[in-house]
Amino acid sequence: MNNSCLGKTRAAATDRPGWGQRLLSFLFARQRSIRWHIILLFSLITTVVFFLAGAGIYQFVTHAMRENMMDKLAAATRSVKEVVESAAHLAIRNHLQTIAHTNIETLGILEQRVRAGNMSKEAARQLAVEIFLHQRIGDQGYVYVVNGQGIIQAHPVLDLLRADLSGKDFIRRQLAMKNGLLDYSWKNPREKQTLPKVMAMAYFEPWDWIVSVTSYKNEFTFLANELRRGLKSHHFGRTGYVFIVNGQGDIILHPWLMGNARSLDNAVAAGVFTKIIAMKNGHFEYQGQDETQSEWQRKIVFFHAIPELDWIVASTIHVEEILEPLASLGWIIGLIVVGALALVTLLGLYLGNRITSPLARLAGQMERAESGDLNVRAEEDALGEIGRLGYHFNRYINRLRESNLKIIAEFKERIAAEQQLLIYRNAMEQALEGIIITDPEANILVVNQAFSEITHYEADEVLHRNVRLLQSGRHDRAFYREMWETLARTGRWTGEVWNRRKGGEIYPQILSISAVRDGNGAVTHFVGLFHDITEVKLQEERIMHQAYHDGLTGLPNRRLALDRIEVSIAHVRRAGTKLAVLILDLDNFKNINDSLGHASGDALLLQVTNRLVAQVREEDTVARLGGDEFLLLVAAIPDESVVNDLIRRLLKSLSDPFRLDGQEIFVTASVGAAFFPNDGANAATLIKYADIAMYQAKAEGKNTSRLFTPDLSERITFLRQLENNLRQAVANREFAVYFQPKIDPYTATVVGAEALVRWRRGDGTVVSPADFIPLAEETGLIVPLGEQVLEQTCQVLRSLNGRGQRKLSLSVNLSPVQFLQTDLVERILAILQQYQVAADQLELEITETAMMSNLARTVAALNELVAAGLSIAIDDFGTGYSSLSYLKRFPIRTLKIDRSFIRDLTDDPSDAQLVETIILMAHNLGITAVAEGVETQSQLEWLKNCGCEQIQGFYYSRPLPTEDFLEYVDRFRAPG
């Protein structure tokens, strides 16, 4: 065969049509009838349309169902995560708070033993520290104690003991709160990283201790058991379940797996856990094998991390379960397509026989579409069923699309509503306040767990019962009538109510009621929210007791004593009887304090209190005015003989020895008495006269008593004359200011001085400040006198500035009376401006008593003075309140240690320890310490070793007149 023949054969094979073309040529051959063409073409087109529509609908529904199932599974996983997180946080906090309050109760027991004299305070504190250090919370939690200045009193890490952590942010927050819960991050000296912690705090005021129970949030493994019980029955469908793993791979919760994920025999499961731990949040699919199944299944897992607990909460389910409805849907669509094809075939036969003309028009429409007209739609105006078919088909597609959109929207809304309802229910059950929902007739419909905890009623005991069940009977009908009228008028009512618990106990609560109305404005429900304020009421009572009673003895203080005397005066005036006011002062009590210490002195005062109370009637009053001075109010007495008998009994009761630390101590007292109406008509006068009589008894040898008589009026006359002379002296400016230098012992330089007023009369006699200063304060003359002192001080400052001594500052004492002036700051600034002296060269010395008289006013006034540029110093520190917790609130620059502690500094270990503590405290607070009354070289050296910045006393100089002081500054050289 030649090449030309081979080429013809190949060409013939190439031009031969394929089997598809031959099939189409056979089916659509022109010689076949039009009915055949109609049937075949209609059937083919319909088949393709139904196939594409079925496939599209199947894909659309498949995608929608899969997305909805995925969203539902993701939302459910987040919900479980939130429930786990909330339950964990609540459990941790409750656990820590319980331990903190238990430890406070332990401290209360130890304090009672100290007060009863069964053990020393130091032993009690040491025992408390040992108890705390043996406590462990979780794996690494512990208990530590910090005092009000931020100094660690107890801590498992010995390196932190006595450390000053007041600079730490969470310690500052802790000192400000004292009680409650605190979240923070912390790294102990021996730990490698900083981790989130939670702390429960409780404040024990008698020791100024803040007991803190702390633990890392990720170590409370006991939560797993609680969660296991709560989530054991929590499933998703047939194959879904929940599990929890921590950041180290430890399986916290799982239906069958335990231990660490990295050590599992199942490599696939270990890989899944590893991927979850690495991602923290998200989802993915994987091939897994359940405990009861041998076949591998395709699964999907969703997971969310709880960083504070280092937990990851996950949920998983078989993908096959999610897609099960799709298989049924596929069969349904397939049957619909097959059935449609059968109907189309029959319809084609019918159309082929009966509808030639409509088909022709349809063919013409197809030709127009073929020519480029793409707006062709099914004919709705065609004859017969063809027109109606086109009409209904077009609208059916539109309605199907609209219905599908509505179904999807309603499905999403329902899921969101169910989730919101679950959140509200959980929030209501977890609320600390009691919640109650009633119908319009006040019949109980719903209560939460807090309601049961507060009222002790379980939910099934109160449902469908009226709220009158809780009434205490302490409120009358008018109270409830006003409550319901307010509710009807405003829809809300809030107030304090006394209700009754199940056991009959009456308790106070803050109650808020709101009305719930429907769309027409009619009330459908009432919602009540209440909180038990029993502890608040008890705290108010304790505060009131502290305001009117002595902190050591529990006796009424001066304020309450004055009030009771005035009340008793009103009673006896109506009854025509008498009353007596006695002032009793222990003789030489200071010697006991100095020799045995202040703790023994306090113990003695308690024993004296018990003996005094035992000698008076129930209607009489024993009060402590301060120090070792007591007041006795004897009311409704017929004559003075009753008081004389009482005084004899009192002195006799004190004559028996007292036992302090195994020693017998003998104490005597001096008593003065004044009577109403003979000696005075008000409480202040009676106390003053009784005090004069008591001092007369001391002057006559002590251990005796004196009644106020006209013979003692000489003292009153002297004071009155002294007052007149004092007024004249203030008017004539007879007062001179002396200055006692303050020295920096390290640089041996003069850094300032204290201004001290002296009164030298025209006849040359000198009146002691101890006589005229109290009188000036009592009469109010201290205000103009203080301004004279301030003016002379500013004159000296101007002279110092002219001599080139601008760095020196002078201190001026402010009395409590001056400190109460509303225009104090304006007066001081005016004087400074008058003498052209800078505010930072003047320092104001204020006693602790003046500062604590009105705490809110004190803070405001001191801040105003400091803002103006002046400096503030506490004078005679340690002799007044010495409230260290308040020092932080005051803008104090200088703290002056009272000379009574410096005098025996080198001989009395108690004084030495106290002074050292004061200096250390001042340094920690950034305050300059000044020692007053330094007279010896040994005192100076001791104070220098302790870091005292400034020295004032006779060792360097006595108070000097102005010219001598200026000369002293110019020529100063330190002794030695």
Side-chain angles (χ1 to χ4, degrees), residues 907-923:
D907 300 321
D908 189 340
S910 298
D911 283 348
Q913 185 176 11
L914 179 61
V915 172
E916 183 179 3
T917 301
I918 293 174
I919 294 173
L920 178 60
M921 177 202 66
H923 290 171

Side-chain angles (χ1 to χ4, degrees), residues 757 773 776-778 780-791 812-825 827-828 831 844-846 850 853 857 861 865:
V757 65
I773 291 296
E777 291 182 339
E778 182 179 350
L781 293 173
I782 194 69
V783 174
L785 176 58
E787 289 189 2
Q788 293 181 20
V789 173
L790 183 58
E791 289 174 357
V812 177
N813 290 281
L814 280 183
S815 76
V817 177
Q818 290 176 277
F819 196 66
L820 294 177
Q821 291 179 269
T822 57
D823 59 345
L824 175 64
V825 179
R827 287 174 177 266
I828 294 175
I831 295 174
L844 302 178
E845 295 189 7
I846 305 170
S853 61
R857 185 185 182 94
L865 290 168

Side-chain angles (χ1 to χ4, degrees), residues 440 442 467 479-489 493 526:
V467 294
F479 174 84
Y480 293 106
R481 182 169 58 253
E482 180 183 356
M483 174 193 295
W484 287 109
E485 289 175 354
T486 303
L487 270 174
R489 185 174 65 257
W493 183 89
F526 289 108

Side-chain angles (χ1 to χ4, degrees), residues 76 119 177 226 472 579 609 702 840:
M119 64 188 308
M177 294 173 60
E226 298 294 332
S472 65
L579 67 80
T609 298
K702 303 179 180 179
D840 59 2

Side-chain angles (χ1 to χ4, degrees), residues 588-605 624 627-628 660 908 910-911:
N588 302 320
F589 177 73
K590 185 177 185 303
N591 295 336
I592 297 175
N593 262 342
D594 293 341
S595 60
L596 300 181
H598 291 280
S600 297
D602 290 345
L604 175 61
L605 290 175
R624 184 187 179 204
D628 58 339
L660 297 175
D908 189 340
S910 298
D911 283 348

Side-chain angles (χ1 to χ4, degrees), residues 270-549:
V272 170
F273 279 108
T274 302
K275 187 173 182 180
I276 289 173
I277 295 171
M279 293 176 64
K280 303 292 186 184
N281 295 279
H283 70 276
F284 60 87
E285 295 186 11
Y286 67 99
Q287 292 288 336
Q289 186 179 30
D290 289 347
E291 181 183 36
T292 58
Q293 297 178 344
S294 59
E295 298 180 357
W296 291 84
Q297 299 289 338
R298 188 181 174 197
K299 306 178 71 176
I300 186 168
V301 60
F302 284 80
F303 46 96
H304 293 278
I306 306 177
E308 293 183 349
L309 299 177
D310 196 22
W311 285 7
I312 303 174
V313 178
S315 58
T316 182
I317 191 172
H318 287 181
V319 176
E320 179 181 349
E321 182 177 352
I322 298 177
L323 301 179
E324 276 183 355
L326 301 181
S328 301
L329 178 63
W331 281 104
I332 293 173
I333 293 176
L335 292 176
I336 291 174
V337 172
V338 172
L341 288 176
L343 292 175
V344 166
T345 302
L346 296 177
L347 181 61
L349 290 174
Y350 177 78
L351 293 176
N353 293 325
R354 302 294 300 272
I355 314 175
T356 302
S357 296
L359 288 177
R361 289 193 296 273
L362 179 61
Q365 293 174 352
M366 293 177 64
E367 289 175 358
R368 290 195 299 274
E370 185 177 4
S371 65
D373 185 7
L374 301 179
N375 294 321
V376 175
R377 297 181 66 226
E379 294 183 6
E380 296 182 4
D381 58 348
L383 296 176
E385 290 78 9
I386 293 180
R388 292 195 298 275
L389 178 63
Y391 174 85
H392 290 297
F393 179 78
N394 290 337
R395 281 150 185 76
Y396 173 76
I397 293 299
N398 291 336
R399 289 195 301 271
L400 181 62
R401 186 180 300 108
E402 293 173 357
S403 298
N404 188 46
L405 293 175
K406 289 180 180 179
I407 290 172
I408 294 174
E410 290 176 359
F411 186 67
K412 291 182 178 180
E413 289 178 0
R414 178 170 294 182
I415 292 177
E418 291 176 352
Q419 293 175 347
Q420 193 71 21
L421 183 61
L422 179 60
I423 292 173
Y424 289 155
R425 183 64 182 176
N426 289 337
M428 178 177 174
E429 287 300 323
Q430 298 299 328
L432 297 179
E433 290 78 11
I435 300 176
I436 179 172
I437 301 176
T438 72
D439 61 15
E441 286 72 36
N443 296 312
I444 300 173
L445 301 178
V446 178
V447 297
N448 69 343
Q449 181 61 34
F451 171 91
S452 299
E453 293 174 355
I454 295 173
T455 66
H456 302 166
Y457 282 103
E458 296 298 330
D460 55 1
E461 294 179 300
V462 297
L463 292 182
H464 308 297
R465 299 179 67 180
N466 196 277
V467 294
R468 288 190 296 271
L469 167 73
L470 306 174
Q471 291 182 3
S472 65
R474 293 189 61 169
H475 304 290
D476 55 17
R477 292 184 178 179
F479 174 84
Y480 293 106
R481 182 169 58 253
E482 180 183 356
M483 174 193 295
W484 287 109
E485 289 175 354
T486 303
L487 270 174
R489 185 174 65 257
T490 66
R492 294 186 61 84
W493 183 89
T494 301
E496 183 176 316
V497 177
W498 286 84
N499 273 343
R500 188 183 303 274
R501 306 189 204 274
K502 179 180 178 181
E505 176 190 355
I506 296 175
Y507 69 100
Q509 62 179 216
I510 294 296
L511 172 63
S512 177
I513 306 176
S514 301
V516 180
R517 303 180 185 273
D518 59 17
N520 298 324
V523 175
T524 60
H525 298 86
F526 289 108
V527 178
L529 181 70
F530 63 91
H531 181 69
D532 186 351
I533 59 172
T534 302
E535 286 300 322
V536 175
K537 290 289 186 182
L538 293 176
Q539 182 65 17
E540 290 176 354
E541 293 177 1
R542 287 193 290 269
I543 293 173
M544 186 62 67
H545 184 273
Q546 292 171 0
Y548 288 96
H549 290 79

Side-chain angles (χ1 to χ4, degrees), residues 897-909:
I897 306 170
D898 188 70
R899 65 183 68 251
S900 62
F901 302 123
I902 303 299
R903 183 176 58 248
D904 301 324
L905 179 68
T906 56
D907 300 321
D908 189 340

Side-chain angles (χ1 to χ4, degrees), residues 939-973:
Q939 292 173 344
L940 175 65
E941 293 300 327
W942 193 97
L943 291 167
K944 287 178 64 177
N945 292 335
C946 281
C948 186
E949 293 96 333
Q950 295 181 17
I951 303 298
Q952 179 181 346
F954 288 177
Y955 177 78
Y956 284 112
S957 174
R958 294 177 178 274
L960 303 172
T962 299
E963 294 302 325
D964 294 345
F965 170 67
L966 294 175
E967 183 180 352
Y968 179 88
V969 172
D970 291 336
R971 62 176 176 79
F972 172 75
R973 296 184 64 183

